[in-house]
PDB file of all heavy atoms in Angstrom:
ATOM      1  N   PHE D  30      -9.955   2.385   5.079  1.00 98.00           N
ATOM      2  CA  PHE D  30      -9.750   1.417   4.001  1.00 98.00           C
ATOM      3  C   PHE D  30      -8.352   1.589   3.431  1.00 98.00           C
ATOM      4  O   PHE D  30      -7.896   2.722   3.209  1.00 98.00           O
ATOM      5  CB  PHE D  30     -10.774   1.597   2.864  1.00 98.00           C
ATOM      6  CG  PHE D  30     -10.587   0.564   1.777  1.00 98.00           C
ATOM      7  CD1 PHE D  30     -11.257  -0.652   1.843  1.00 98.00           C
ATOM      8  CD2 PHE D  30      -9.682   0.772   0.740  1.00 98.00           C
ATOM      9  CE1 PHE D  30     -11.042  -1.637   0.880  1.00 98.00           C
ATOM     10  CE2 PHE D  30      -9.456  -0.212  -0.227  1.00 98.00           C
ATOM     11  CZ  PHE D  30     -10.140  -1.413  -0.154  1.00 98.00           C
ATOM     12  N   SER D  31      -7.673   0.473   3.190  1.00 98.00           N
ATOM     13  CA  SER D  31      -6.442   0.539   2.397  1.00 98.00           C
ATOM     14  C   SER D  31      -6.227  -0.792   1.682  1.00 98.00           C
ATOM     15  O   SER D  31      -6.852  -1.797   2.030  1.00 98.00           O
ATOM     16  CB  SER D  31      -5.228   0.901   3.257  1.00 98.00           C
ATOM     17  OG  SER D  31      -4.183   1.347   2.409  1.00 98.00           O
ATOM     18  N   ALA D  32      -5.368  -0.757   0.673  1.00 98.00           N
ATOM     19  CA  ALA D  32      -5.089  -1.967  -0.106  1.00 98.00           C
ATOM     20  C   ALA D  32      -3.647  -1.941  -0.593  1.00 98.00           C
ATOM     21  O   ALA D  32      -2.983  -0.900  -0.576  1.00 98.00           O
ATOM     22  CB  ALA D  32      -6.049  -2.056  -1.292  1.00 98.00           C
ATOM     23  N   ILE D  33      -3.206  -3.114  -1.005  1.00 98.00           N
ATOM     24  CA  ILE D  33      -1.845  -3.243  -1.550  1.00 98.00           C
ATOM     25  C   ILE D  33      -1.899  -4.217  -2.712  1.00 98.00           C
ATOM     26  O   ILE D  33      -2.700  -5.159  -2.695  1.00 98.00           O
ATOM     27  CB  ILE D  33      -0.857  -3.738  -0.460  1.00 98.00           C
ATOM     28  CG1 ILE D  33       0.575  -3.832  -0.994  1.00 98.00           C
ATOM     29  CG2 ILE D  33      -1.289  -5.111   0.108  1.00 98.00           C
ATOM     30  CD1 ILE D  33       1.618  -4.058   0.099  1.00 98.00           C
ATOM     31  N   GLN D  34      -1.068  -3.986  -3.701  1.00 98.00           N
ATOM     32  CA  GLN D  34      -1.034  -4.904  -4.838  1.00 98.00           C
ATOM     33  C   GLN D  34      -0.155  -6.103  -4.522  1.00 98.00           C
ATOM     34  O   GLN D  34       0.965  -5.927  -4.046  1.00 98.00           O
ATOM     35  CB  GLN D  34      -0.423  -4.207  -6.052  1.00 98.00           C
ATOM     36  CG  GLN D  34      -1.305  -3.155  -6.635  1.00 98.00           C
ATOM     37  CD  GLN D  34      -0.790  -2.780  -8.007  1.00 98.00           C
ATOM     38  OE1 GLN D  34      -0.734  -3.601  -8.915  1.00 98.00           O
ATOM     39  NE2 GLN D  34      -0.405  -1.544  -8.140  1.00 98.00           N
ATOM     40  N   THR D  40       7.813  -4.688  -0.040  1.00 97.00           N
ATOM     41  CA  THR D  40       9.055  -3.994   0.320  1.00 97.00           C
ATOM     42  C   THR D  40       8.977  -3.315   1.684  1.00 97.00           C
ATOM     43  O   THR D  40       7.902  -3.118   2.241  1.00 97.00           O
ATOM     44  CB  THR D  40       9.369  -2.886  -0.707  1.00 97.00           C
ATOM     45  OG1 THR D  40       8.408  -1.829  -0.542  1.00 97.00           O
ATOM     46  CG2 THR D  40       9.291  -3.408  -2.137  1.00 97.00           C
ATOM     47  N   GLY D  42       9.407  -0.294   2.003  1.00 97.00           N
ATOM     48  CA  GLY D  42       8.629   0.922   1.749  1.00 97.00           C
ATOM     49  C   GLY D  42       7.139   0.689   1.974  1.00 97.00           C
ATOM     50  O   GLY D  42       6.473   1.499   2.611  1.00 97.00           O
ATOM     51  N   ASN D  43       6.619  -0.431   1.480  1.00 97.00           N
ATOM     52  CA  ASN D  43       5.202  -0.778   1.701  1.00 97.00           C
ATOM     53  C   ASN D  43       4.916  -0.899   3.192  1.00 97.00           C
ATOM     54  O   ASN D  43       3.882  -0.452   3.680  1.00 97.00           O
ATOM     55  CB  ASN D  43       4.853  -2.129   1.059  1.00 97.00           C
ATOM     56  CG  ASN D  43       4.987  -2.144  -0.451  1.00 97.00           C
ATOM     57  OD1 ASN D  43       5.498  -3.103  -1.021  1.00 97.00           O
ATOM     58  ND2 ASN D  43       4.544  -1.096  -1.124  1.00 97.00           N
ATOM     59  N   GLY D  46       5.754   2.696   5.005  1.00 96.00           N
ATOM     60  CA  GLY D  46       4.941   3.789   4.496  1.00 96.00           C
ATOM     61  C   GLY D  46       3.459   3.606   4.775  1.00 96.00           C
ATOM     62  O   GLY D  46       2.717   4.576   4.850  1.00 96.00           O
ATOM     63  N   ALA D  47       3.025   2.348   4.917  1.00 97.00           N
ATOM     64  CA  ALA D  47       1.589   2.137   5.042  1.00 97.00           C
ATOM     65  C   ALA D  47       1.206   1.043   6.034  1.00 97.00           C
ATOM     66  O   ALA D  47       0.456   1.283   6.970  1.00 97.00           O
ATOM     67  CB  ALA D  47       1.004   1.815   3.665  1.00 97.00           C
ATOM     68  N   TRP D  48       1.728  -0.154   5.854  1.00 98.00           N
ATOM     69  CA  TRP D  48       1.112  -1.305   6.522  1.00 98.00           C
ATOM     70  C   TRP D  48       1.459  -1.466   7.977  1.00 98.00           C
ATOM     71  O   TRP D  48       0.676  -2.036   8.744  1.00 98.00           O
ATOM     72  CB  TRP D  48       1.336  -2.572   5.690  1.00 98.00           C
ATOM     73  CG  TRP D  48       0.465  -2.428   4.484  1.00 98.00           C
ATOM     74  CD1 TRP D  48       0.814  -1.869   3.288  1.00 98.00           C
ATOM     75  CD2 TRP D  48      -0.937  -2.681   4.419  1.00 98.00           C
ATOM     76  NE1 TRP D  48      -0.296  -1.787   2.481  1.00 98.00           N
ATOM     77  CE2 TRP D  48      -1.365  -2.280   3.145  1.00 98.00           C
ATOM     78  CE3 TRP D  48      -1.861  -3.219   5.320  1.00 98.00           C
ATOM     79  CZ2 TRP D  48      -2.704  -2.395   2.750  1.00 98.00           C
ATOM     80  CZ3 TRP D  48      -3.185  -3.332   4.925  1.00 98.00           C
ATOM     81  CH2 TRP D  48      -3.587  -2.928   3.646  1.00 98.00           C
ATOM     82  N   ALA D  65      -5.194  -5.756  -3.663  1.00 98.00           N
ATOM     83  CA  ALA D  65      -5.744  -5.189  -4.897  1.00 98.00           C
ATOM     84  C   ALA D  65      -5.222  -5.978  -6.098  1.00 98.00           C
ATOM     85  O   ALA D  65      -4.432  -5.474  -6.900  1.00 98.00           O
ATOM     86  CB  ALA D  65      -5.390  -3.711  -4.992  1.00 98.00           C
ATOM     87  N   HIS D  68      -5.957  -4.658  -9.677  1.00 98.00           N
ATOM     88  CA  HIS D  68      -5.005  -3.635 -10.129  1.00 98.00           C
ATOM     89  C   HIS D  68      -3.726  -4.258 -10.690  1.00 98.00           C
ATOM     90  O   HIS D  68      -3.101  -3.703 -11.586  1.00 98.00           O
ATOM     91  CB  HIS D  68      -4.640  -2.700  -8.966  1.00 98.00           C
ATOM     92  CG  HIS D  68      -5.694  -1.688  -8.659  1.00 98.00           C
ATOM     93  ND1 HIS D  68      -6.581  -1.817  -7.616  1.00 98.00           N
ATOM     94  CD2 HIS D  68      -6.007  -0.522  -9.265  1.00 98.00           C
ATOM     95  CE1 HIS D  68      -7.385  -0.769  -7.595  1.00 98.00           C
ATOM     96  NE2 HIS D  68      -7.073   0.031  -8.589  1.00 98.00           N
ATOM     97  N   GLN D 105      -9.557  -8.493  -3.431  1.00 98.00           N
ATOM     98  CA  GLN D 105     -10.434  -7.651  -4.258  1.00 98.00           C
ATOM     99  C   GLN D 105     -11.175  -8.432  -5.349  1.00 98.00           C
ATOM    100  O   GLN D 105     -12.377  -8.243  -5.547  1.00 98.00           O
ATOM    101  CB  GLN D 105      -9.549  -6.572  -4.883  1.00 98.00           C
ATOM    102  CG  GLN D 105     -10.201  -5.512  -5.724  1.00 98.00           C
ATOM    103  CD  GLN D 105      -9.118  -4.740  -6.474  1.00 98.00           C
ATOM    104  OE1 GLN D 105      -8.095  -5.308  -6.861  1.00 98.00           O
ATOM    105  NE2 GLN D 105      -9.334  -3.451  -6.656  1.00 98.00           N
ATOM    106  N   GLN D 132       1.236   8.677 -11.919  1.00 96.00           N
ATOM    107  CA  GLN D 132       1.594   7.254 -11.925  1.00 96.00           C
ATOM    108  C   GLN D 132       1.304   6.634 -13.296  1.00 96.00           C
ATOM    109  O   GLN D 132       2.061   5.789 -13.771  1.00 96.00           O
ATOM    110  CB  GLN D 132       0.844   6.494 -10.832  1.00 96.00           C
ATOM    111  CG  GLN D 132       1.301   5.055 -10.727  1.00 96.00           C
ATOM    112  CD  GLN D 132       0.692   4.335  -9.532  1.00 96.00           C
ATOM    113  OE1 GLN D 132       0.796   4.762  -8.397  1.00 96.00           O
ATOM    114  NE2 GLN D 132       0.045   3.223  -9.794  1.00 96.00           N
ATOM    115  N   TYR D 151      -7.093   2.681 -13.895  1.00 98.00           N
ATOM    116  CA  TYR D 151      -6.667   2.199 -12.575  1.00 98.00           C
ATOM    117  C   TYR D 151      -7.205   3.067 -11.434  1.00 98.00           C
ATOM    118  O   TYR D 151      -7.736   2.550 -10.443  1.00 98.00           O
ATOM    119  CB  TYR D 151      -5.140   2.182 -12.638  1.00 98.00           C
ATOM    120  CG  TYR D 151      -4.351   1.777 -11.445  1.00 98.00           C
ATOM    121  CD1 TYR D 151      -3.531   0.641 -11.510  1.00 98.00           C
ATOM    122  CD2 TYR D 151      -4.332   2.529 -10.279  1.00 98.00           C
ATOM    123  CE1 TYR D 151      -2.750   0.272 -10.433  1.00 98.00           C
ATOM    124  CE2 TYR D 151      -3.562   2.162  -9.208  1.00 98.00           C
ATOM    125  CZ  TYR D 151      -2.767   1.033  -9.286  1.00 98.00           C
ATOM    126  OH  TYR D 151      -2.006   0.671  -8.218  1.00 98.00           O
ATOM    127  N   MET D 155      -9.574   2.161  -8.086  1.00 98.00           N
ATOM    128  CA  MET D 155      -9.116   2.466  -6.722  1.00 98.00           C
ATOM    129  C   MET D 155     -10.169   3.296  -5.981  1.00 98.00           C
ATOM    130  O   MET D 155     -10.428   3.077  -4.791  1.00 98.00           O
ATOM    131  CB  MET D 155      -7.779   3.200  -6.807  1.00 98.00           C
ATOM    132  CG  MET D 155      -7.144   3.453  -5.487  1.00 98.00           C
ATOM    133  SD  MET D 155      -5.398   3.862  -5.667  1.00 98.00           S
ATOM    134  CE  MET D 155      -5.222   4.783  -4.127  1.00 98.00           C
ATOM    135  N   ASP D 158     -12.833   0.930  -4.805  1.00 98.00           N
ATOM    136  CA  ASP D 158     -12.393   0.205  -3.596  1.00 98.00           C
ATOM    137  C   ASP D 158     -12.745   0.988  -2.339  1.00 98.00           C
ATOM    138  O   ASP D 158     -13.296   0.457  -1.377  1.00 98.00           O
ATOM    139  CB  ASP D 158     -10.859   0.029  -3.588  1.00 98.00           C
ATOM    140  CG  ASP D 158     -10.334  -0.791  -4.745  1.00 98.00           C
ATOM    141  OD1 ASP D 158     -11.112  -1.532  -5.364  1.00 98.00           O
ATOM    142  OD2 ASP D 158      -9.113  -0.684  -5.039  1.00 98.00           O
ATOM    143  N   ILE D 159     -12.384   2.253  -2.375  1.00 98.00           N
ATOM    144  CA  ILE D 159     -12.513   3.102  -1.180  1.00 98.00           C
ATOM    145  C   ILE D 159     -13.984   3.453  -0.926  1.00 98.00           C
ATOM    146  O   ILE D 159     -14.477   3.355   0.198  1.00 98.00           O
ATOM    147  CB  ILE D 159     -11.699   4.403  -1.372  1.00 98.00           C
ATOM    148  CG1 ILE D 159     -10.215   4.073  -1.569  1.00 98.00           C
ATOM    149  CG2 ILE D 159     -11.919   5.363  -0.211  1.00 98.00           C
ATOM    150  CD1 ILE D 159      -9.388   5.255  -2.096  1.00 98.00           C
ATOM    151  N   VAL D 167      -7.959   6.914   4.502  1.00 98.00           N
ATOM    152  CA  VAL D 167      -7.209   5.979   3.667  1.00 98.00           C
ATOM    153  C   VAL D 167      -5.718   6.137   3.963  1.00 98.00           C
ATOM    154  O   VAL D 167      -5.069   7.051   3.442  1.00 98.00           O
ATOM    155  CB  VAL D 167      -7.492   6.240   2.164  1.00 98.00           C
ATOM    156  CG1 VAL D 167      -6.812   5.173   1.302  1.00 98.00           C
ATOM    157  CG2 VAL D 167      -8.984   6.271   1.876  1.00 98.00           C
ATOM    158  N   PRO D 168      -5.169   5.277   4.829  1.00 98.00           N
ATOM    159  CA  PRO D 168      -3.745   5.368   5.144  1.00 98.00           C
ATOM    160  C   PRO D 168      -2.896   4.783   4.015  1.00 98.00           C
ATOM    161  O   PRO D 168      -3.022   3.608   3.685  1.00 98.00           O
ATOM    162  CB  PRO D 168      -3.595   4.534   6.429  1.00 98.00           C
ATOM    163  CG  PRO D 168      -4.757   3.585   6.414  1.00 98.00           C
ATOM    164  CD  PRO D 168      -5.851   4.219   5.619  1.00 98.00           C
ATOM    165  N   VAL D 169      -2.064   5.615   3.414  1.00 98.00           N
ATOM    166  CA  VAL D 169      -1.222   5.200   2.287  1.00 98.00           C
ATOM    167  C   VAL D 169       0.078   6.009   2.305  1.00 98.00           C
ATOM    168  O   VAL D 169       0.191   6.995   3.034  1.00 98.00           O
ATOM    169  CB  VAL D 169      -1.912   5.469   0.918  1.00 98.00           C
ATOM    170  CG1 VAL D 169      -2.954   4.413   0.584  1.00 98.00           C
ATOM    171  CG2 VAL D 169      -2.533   6.853   0.879  1.00 98.00           C
ATOM    172  N   GLY D 170       1.026   5.585   1.483  1.00 97.00           N
ATOM    173  CA  GLY D 170       2.238   6.364   1.265  1.00 97.00           C
ATOM    174  C   GLY D 170       1.916   7.561   0.373  1.00 97.00           C
ATOM    175  O   GLY D 170       0.862   7.618  -0.267  1.00 97.00           O
ATOM    176  N   ILE D 171       2.837   8.494   0.318  1.00 97.00           N
ATOM    177  CA  ILE D 171       2.607   9.762  -0.376  1.00 97.00           C
ATOM    178  C   ILE D 171       2.408   9.563  -1.883  1.00 97.00           C
ATOM    179  O   ILE D 171       1.741  10.371  -2.546  1.00 97.00           O
ATOM    180  CB  ILE D 171       3.761  10.758  -0.056  1.00 97.00           C
ATOM    181  CG1 ILE D 171       3.236  12.171   0.119  1.00 97.00           C
ATOM    182  CG2 ILE D 171       4.842  10.748  -1.092  1.00 97.00           C
ATOM    183  CD1 ILE D 171       2.528  12.431   1.395  1.00 97.00           C
ATOM    184  N   ASP D 172       2.935   8.449  -2.424  1.00 96.00           N
ATOM    185  CA  ASP D 172       2.794   8.211  -3.870  1.00 96.00           C
ATOM    186  C   ASP D 172       1.325   8.010  -4.295  1.00 96.00           C
ATOM    187  O   ASP D 172       1.018   8.092  -5.477  1.00 96.00           O
ATOM    188  CB  ASP D 172       3.651   7.001  -4.305  1.00 96.00           C
ATOM    189  CG  ASP D 172       3.244   5.712  -3.609  1.00 96.00           C
ATOM    190  OD1 ASP D 172       2.662   5.769  -2.497  1.00 96.00           O
ATOM    191  OD2 ASP D 172       3.504   4.637  -4.172  1.00 96.00           O
ATOM    192  N   GLN D 173       0.444   7.749  -3.335  1.00 98.00           N
ATOM    193  CA  GLN D 173      -0.968   7.524  -3.681  1.00 98.00           C
ATOM    194  C   GLN D 173      -1.823   8.779  -3.527  1.00 98.00           C
ATOM    195  O   GLN D 173      -3.041   8.745  -3.724  1.00 98.00           O
ATOM    196  CB  GLN D 173      -1.552   6.404  -2.821  1.00 98.00           C
ATOM    197  CG  GLN D 173      -0.889   5.058  -3.041  1.00 98.00           C
ATOM    198  CD  GLN D 173      -1.028   4.587  -4.481  1.00 98.00           C
ATOM    199  OE1 GLN D 173      -2.079   4.730  -5.103  1.00 98.00           O
ATOM    200  NE2 GLN D 173       0.049   4.047  -5.029  1.00 98.00           N
ATOM    201  N   HIS D 176      -4.086   9.865  -6.403  1.00 98.00           N
ATOM    202  CA  HIS D 176      -5.215   8.951  -6.605  1.00 98.00           C
ATOM    203  C   HIS D 176      -6.323   9.189  -5.581  1.00 98.00           C
ATOM    204  O   HIS D 176      -7.508   9.084  -5.896  1.00 98.00           O
ATOM    205  CB  HIS D 176      -4.747   7.490  -6.509  1.00 98.00           C
ATOM    206  CG  HIS D 176      -3.875   7.079  -7.651  1.00 98.00           C
ATOM    207  ND1 HIS D 176      -2.980   6.041  -7.576  1.00 98.00           N
ATOM    208  CD2 HIS D 176      -3.760   7.576  -8.912  1.00 98.00           C
ATOM    209  CE1 HIS D 176      -2.358   5.904  -8.739  1.00 98.00           C
ATOM    210  NE2 HIS D 176      -2.807   6.826  -9.560  1.00 98.00           N
ATOM    211  N   ILE D 177      -5.939   9.493  -4.358  1.00 98.00           N
ATOM    212  CA  ILE D 177      -6.944   9.757  -3.308  1.00 98.00           C
ATOM    213  C   ILE D 177      -7.699  11.047  -3.647  1.00 98.00           C
ATOM    214  O   ILE D 177      -8.918  11.128  -3.479  1.00 98.00           O
ATOM    215  CB  ILE D 177      -6.273   9.898  -1.918  1.00 98.00           C
ATOM    216  CG1 ILE D 177      -5.351   8.721  -1.617  1.00 98.00           C
ATOM    217  CG2 ILE D 177      -7.326  10.108  -0.820  1.00 98.00           C
ATOM    218  CD1 ILE D 177      -5.995   7.473  -1.168  1.00 98.00           C
ATOM    219  N   GLY D 206       8.325   8.476   7.033  1.00 92.00           N
ATOM    220  CA  GLY D 206       8.245   7.197   6.321  1.00 92.00           C
ATOM    221  C   GLY D 206       7.230   7.174   5.188  1.00 92.00           C
ATOM    222  O   GLY D 206       7.046   6.142   4.560  1.00 92.00           O
ATOM    223  N   ALA D 207       6.581   8.313   4.903  1.00 94.00           N
ATOM    224  CA  ALA D 207       5.563   8.343   3.856  1.00 94.00           C
ATOM    225  C   ALA D 207       6.165   8.104   2.475  1.00 94.00           C
ATOM    226  O   ALA D 207       5.460   7.756   1.536  1.00 94.00           O
ATOM    227  CB  ALA D 207       4.816   9.672   3.873  1.00 94.00           C
ATOM    228  N   LYS D 208       7.474   8.312   2.367  1.00 96.00           N
ATOM    229  CA  LYS D 208       8.144   7.978   1.112  1.00 96.00           C
ATOM    230  C   LYS D 208       9.550   7.468   1.422  1.00 96.00           C
ATOM    231  O   LYS D 208      10.472   8.251   1.641  1.00 96.00           O
ATOM    232  CB  LYS D 208       8.197   9.198   0.186  1.00 96.00           C
ATOM    233  CG  LYS D 208       8.625   8.829  -1.214  1.00 96.00           C
ATOM    234  CD  LYS D 208       8.433   9.974  -2.187  1.00 96.00           C
ATOM    235  CE  LYS D 208       8.715   9.520  -3.611  1.00 96.00           C
ATOM    236  NZ  LYS D 208       8.739  10.639  -4.558  1.00 96.00           N
ATOM    237  N   ILE D 209       9.670   6.154   1.469  1.00 97.00           N
ATOM    238  CA  ILE D 209      10.979   5.532   1.685  1.00 97.00           C
ATOM    239  C   ILE D 209      11.681   5.506   0.328  1.00 97.00           C
ATOM    240  O   ILE D 209      11.093   5.116  -0.678  1.00 97.00           O
ATOM    241  CB  ILE D 209      10.816   4.096   2.240  1.00 97.00           C
ATOM    242  CG1 ILE D 209       9.985   4.096   3.540  1.00 97.00           C
ATOM    243  CG2 ILE D 209      12.171   3.430   2.433  1.00 97.00           C
ATOM    244  CD1 ILE D 209      10.605   4.768   4.722  1.00 97.00           C
ATOM    245  N   MET D 210      12.939   5.949   0.314  1.00 97.00           N
ATOM    246  CA  MET D 210      13.651   6.070  -0.952  1.00 97.00           C
ATOM    247  C   MET D 210      14.544   4.848  -1.206  1.00 97.00           C
ATOM    248  O   MET D 210      14.899   4.114  -0.274  1.00 97.00           O
ATOM    249  CB  MET D 210      14.516   7.342  -0.949  1.00 97.00           C
ATOM    250  CG  MET D 210      13.763   8.599  -0.526  1.00 97.00           C
ATOM    251  SD  MET D 210      12.211   8.877  -1.397  1.00 97.00           S
ATOM    252  CE  MET D 210      12.806   9.685  -2.857  1.00 97.00           C
ATOM    253  N   LYS D 218      11.882   6.707  -5.293  1.00 95.00           N
ATOM    254  CA  LYS D 218      11.218   5.959  -4.217  1.00 95.00           C
ATOM    255  C   LYS D 218      11.643   4.487  -4.257  1.00 95.00           C
ATOM    256  O   LYS D 218      11.932   3.954  -5.334  1.00 95.00           O
ATOM    257  CB  LYS D 218       9.700   6.146  -4.312  1.00 95.00           C
ATOM    258  CG  LYS D 218       8.944   5.002  -4.926  1.00 95.00           C
ATOM    259  CD  LYS D 218       7.441   5.157  -4.868  1.00 95.00           C
ATOM    260  CE  LYS D 218       6.869   4.219  -5.921  1.00 95.00           C
ATOM    261  NZ  LYS D 218       5.445   4.174  -6.043  1.00 95.00           N
ATOM    262  N   MET D 219      11.704   3.871  -3.080  1.00 96.00           N
ATOM    263  CA  MET D 219      11.999   2.440  -3.010  1.00 96.00           C
ATOM    264  C   MET D 219      10.838   1.695  -3.649  1.00 96.00           C
ATOM    265  O   MET D 219       9.692   1.888  -3.265  1.00 96.00           O
ATOM    266  CB  MET D 219      12.174   1.995  -1.562  1.00 96.00           C
ATOM    267  CG  MET D 219      12.523   0.527  -1.428  1.00 96.00           C
ATOM    268  SD  MET D 219      12.708  -0.025   0.288  1.00 96.00           S
ATOM    269  CE  MET D 219      14.329   0.584   0.697  1.00 96.00           C
ATOM    270  N   LYS D 221       9.440  -2.062  -5.839  1.00 84.00           N
ATOM    271  CA  LYS D 221       9.644  -3.461  -6.234  1.00 84.00           C
ATOM    272  C   LYS D 221      10.321  -3.549  -7.590  1.00 84.00           C
ATOM    273  O   LYS D 221      11.022  -4.501  -7.890  1.00 84.00           O
ATOM    274  CB  LYS D 221       8.299  -4.192  -6.360  1.00 84.00           C
ATOM    275  CG  LYS D 221       7.472  -4.138  -5.126  1.00 84.00           C
ATOM    276  CD  LYS D 221       6.027  -4.587  -5.385  1.00 84.00           C
ATOM    277  CE  LYS D 221       5.148  -4.037  -4.286  1.00 84.00           C
ATOM    278  NZ  LYS D 221       3.767  -4.377  -4.313  1.00 84.00           N
TER     279      LYS D 221
HETATM  280  P1  TYM N 405       1.163  -0.394  -3.744  1.00 65.92           P
HETATM  281  O1  TYM N 405       0.848  -1.841  -3.780  1.00 65.92           O
HETATM  282  O2  TYM N 405       2.081   0.156  -4.767  1.00 65.92           O
HETATM  283  O3  TYM N 405       1.744  -0.005  -2.335  1.00 65.92           O
HETATM  284  C1  TYM N 405       1.095  -0.371  -1.110  1.00 65.92           C
HETATM  285  C2  TYM N 405       1.272   0.739  -0.092  1.00 65.92           C
HETATM  286  O4  TYM N 405       2.656   0.997   0.136  1.00 65.92           O
HETATM  287  C3  TYM N 405       2.912   2.381  -0.045  1.00 65.92           C
HETATM  288  N1  TYM N 405       4.279   2.537  -0.581  1.00 65.92           N
HETATM  289  C4  TYM N 405       5.237   3.277  -0.011  1.00 65.92           C
HETATM  290  N2  TYM N 405       5.238   4.040   1.092  1.00 65.92           N
HETATM  291  C5  TYM N 405       6.389   4.673   1.407  1.00 65.92           C
HETATM  292  N3  TYM N 405       7.531   4.561   0.683  1.00 65.92           N
HETATM  293  C6  TYM N 405       7.574   3.804  -0.433  1.00 65.92           C
HETATM  294  N4  TYM N 405       8.711   3.694  -1.127  1.00 65.92           N
HETATM  295  C7  TYM N 405       6.391   3.117  -0.825  1.00 65.92           C
HETATM  296  N5  TYM N 405       6.082   2.287  -1.860  1.00 65.92           N
HETATM  297  C8  TYM N 405       4.785   1.951  -1.693  1.00 65.92           C
HETATM  298  C9  TYM N 405       1.848   2.863  -1.012  1.00 65.92           C
HETATM  299  O5  TYM N 405       1.638   4.247  -0.919  1.00 65.92           O
HETATM  300  C10 TYM N 405       0.646   2.077  -0.557  1.00 65.92           C
HETATM  301  O6  TYM N 405       0.041   2.693   0.558  1.00 65.92           O
HETATM  302  N6  TYM N 405      -2.895   1.632  -5.843  1.00 65.92           N
HETATM  303  C11 TYM N 405      -2.357   1.090  -4.600  1.00 65.92           C
HETATM  304  C12 TYM N 405      -3.176  -0.059  -4.055  1.00 65.92           C
HETATM  305  C13 TYM N 405      -4.616   0.267  -3.883  1.00 65.92           C
HETATM  306  C14 TYM N 405      -5.177   1.083  -2.883  1.00 65.92           C
HETATM  307  C15 TYM N 405      -6.587   1.070  -3.129  1.00 65.92           C
HETATM  308  C16 TYM N 405      -4.645   1.821  -1.818  1.00 65.92           C
HETATM  309  C17 TYM N 405      -5.634  -0.204  -4.663  1.00 65.92           C
HETATM  310  N7  TYM N 405      -6.810   0.277  -4.210  1.00 65.92           N
HETATM  311  C18 TYM N 405      -7.458   1.778  -2.311  1.00 65.92           C
HETATM  312  C19 TYM N 405      -5.542   2.532  -1.006  1.00 65.92           C
HETATM  313  C20 TYM N 405      -6.918   2.511  -1.262  1.00 65.92           C
HETATM  314  C21 TYM N 405      -0.964   0.578  -4.858  1.00 65.92           C
HETATM  315  O7  TYM N 405      -0.618   0.216  -5.954  1.00 65.92           O
HETATM  316  O8  TYM N 405      -0.190   0.454  -3.744  1.00 65.92           O
END
Side-chain angles (χ1 to χ4, degrees):
F30 182 90
S31 198
I33 182 169
Q34 289 194 62
T40 70
N43 296 138
W48 289 91
H68 283 101
Q105 184 192 34
Q132 186 173 305
Y151 178 118
M155 185 163 156
D158 298 341
I159 299 166
V167 185
V169 281
I171 219 75
D172 61 336
Q173 297 300 319
H176 291 157
I177 309 281
K208 192 169 187 189
I209 304 294
M210 310 309 276
K218 101 174 161 179
M219 182 181 282
K221 304 167 201 182

